[in-house]
Amino acid sequence: LPSKFKDMKTYWMPILFILPTISSTSQTTPLPDPGARAMELVWFWPEATPGSIGRMEPFEIGFRIPASIERNIEAYLKERPVPRALNPFDPEDIDITAYFQEVNKNPEIITPLETRYGFFYEEFSRNLTAADPNDWHHEKHPTLFPIRVRYTPEKEGNYKCWAVMKTKDGDSFTTDTLSFKVNKSSNPGYVKVGKSKRFFVQDSSTFFPVGQNLPWPACHKLFDPLCEQIKCAGSESWCGNKTMGPYGYEVYHKEMAALKYSGANYFRMLVAPWNLEIEFEKLNNYADRLNCAWEMDQILKHAAELDLYIHFNLQVHYPWEAQSIY
């Protein structure tokens, strides 16, 4: 998840209620620091169309960070008492800013820059190979590009992007420039409140949400008989403050598909501590819950594939209770 939650509009593309985007209005390309060093930039997804994206479609780029910075991040994640340890979740330690700019055909006209913020990312998969479902787990996969940035262009045209990374120790790195093209798209864009303040609109049409509450991923025994074999299935919220096993997410994806095939176009989802919350046990260190962030990505991607919108509740109410089970 982004280390700076200023760009939710871009990150949560399929969500029904959108937080505002903060964009730069600078008219010039920022020059790297004199001591800046190069950092590799690559296109990640959509994999099928590198360098090309549809209007209102999200895409992701990644950065290969220097080995010295990677070691300092590892020191922080493993809680080693190293003075140069860097917290990848804290912009005071590592600040990654990406710049996106439309390339105007008239070189005398410089279009405004838009900024997006980088975030630390790890890739996972659900390992369901053990004979006992209670031993199923999330398996982490190494990546050479642990810093990612996401962006959703709202206009067609030719664009370029680059990024600058700075650390608390004064290190500065700048990527090369990536060019890409934004094409026409059938995506109608974000759901907004209409001028009447009474209805939702999408593009020029009224959007009427039809769906129900799918509160959070859980392994429901009535929905999937395999959940009978899994400890605490369906009662994850009362199961010793542990995060849910991977099969609960598999079941949730099945529920989403069943809802879609029943005629729905949206559902309500809540971020719960036992399956999607990333900031919980340790303030400002989400290393032990990055699989939850990965699972959130899979839910969003599946919702986009099913053309389902999400009434997204960002936080469950427990932090506001005087005394809670959590």
Side-chain angles (χ1 to χ4, degrees), residues 259-313:
L259 185 67
K260 173 64 179 180
Y261 299 145
S262 298
N265 63 7
Y266 108 110
F267 63 97
R268 172 185 177 266
M269 183 179 71
L270 186 70
V271 170
W274 55 92
N275 51 39
L276 292 175
E277 180 67 76
I278 66 160
E279 184 177 41
F280 200 71
E281 287 87 2
K282 300 175 183 178
L283 182 65
N284 215 20
N285 184 347
Y286 321 134
D288 294 336
R289 282 180 168 257
L290 287 183
N291 63 303
C292 299
W294 180 84
E295 286 289 2
M296 174 68 78
D297 266 356
Q298 309 319 302
I299 290 172
L300 294 175
K301 290 176 182 178
H302 196 206
E305 292 167 358
L306 294 171
D307 198 23
L308 280 173
Y309 286 78
I310 300 176
H311 176 162
F312 188 41
N313 288 66

Side-chain angles (χ1 to χ4, degrees), residues 1-2 5 11-12 77 79 89 120-124 138 140 217 236-237 239-245 249 270-297 314 316 318 325-326:
L1 286 176
F5 288 85
Y11 184 73
W12 305 113
L77 297 179
E79 299 181 334
F89 308 109
F120 185 73
Y121 181 84
E122 289 185 338
E123 188 78 31
F124 292 84
H138 285 96
K140 185 186 299 186
E236 290 88 357
S237 59
C239 197
N241 296 350
K242 296 179 180 179
T243 53
M244 186 181 64
Y249 301 99
L270 186 70
V271 170
W274 55 92
N275 51 39
L276 292 175
E277 180 67 76
I278 66 160
E279 184 177 41
F280 200 71
E281 287 87 2
K282 300 175 183 178
L283 182 65
N284 215 20
N285 184 347
Y286 321 134
D288 294 336
R289 282 180 168 257
L290 287 183
N291 63 303
C292 299
W294 180 84
E295 286 289 2
M296 174 68 78
D297 266 356
L314 286 167
V316 76
Y318 300 137
I325 59 171
Y326 284 95

Side-chain angles (χ1 to χ4, degrees), residues 19 26 75 101 104 130 132 136 194 286 303 314:
L19 300 181
S26 171
Q101 186 175 39
N104 199 295
D132 185 352
W136 292 347
Y286 321 134
L314 286 167

Side-chain angles (χ1 to χ4, degrees), residues 149-195:
V149 169
R150 292 174 181 173
Y151 176 66
T152 301
E154 299 187 39
K155 293 171 58 181
E156 299 171 36
N158 295 309
Y159 285 74
K160 61 180 179 179
C161 67
W162 64 97
V164 177
M165 179 175 76
K166 297 183 179 181
T167 74
K168 67 177 182 179
D169 300 316
D171 295 316
S172 180
F173 303 87
T174 302
T175 69
D176 51 1
T177 300
L178 174 71
S179 297
F180 62 96
K181 186 176 182 180
V182 179
N183 305 306
K184 289 183 179 180
S185 168
S186 59
N187 193 324
Y190 302 109
V191 174
K192 302 176 182 178
V193 176
K195 292 181 180 180

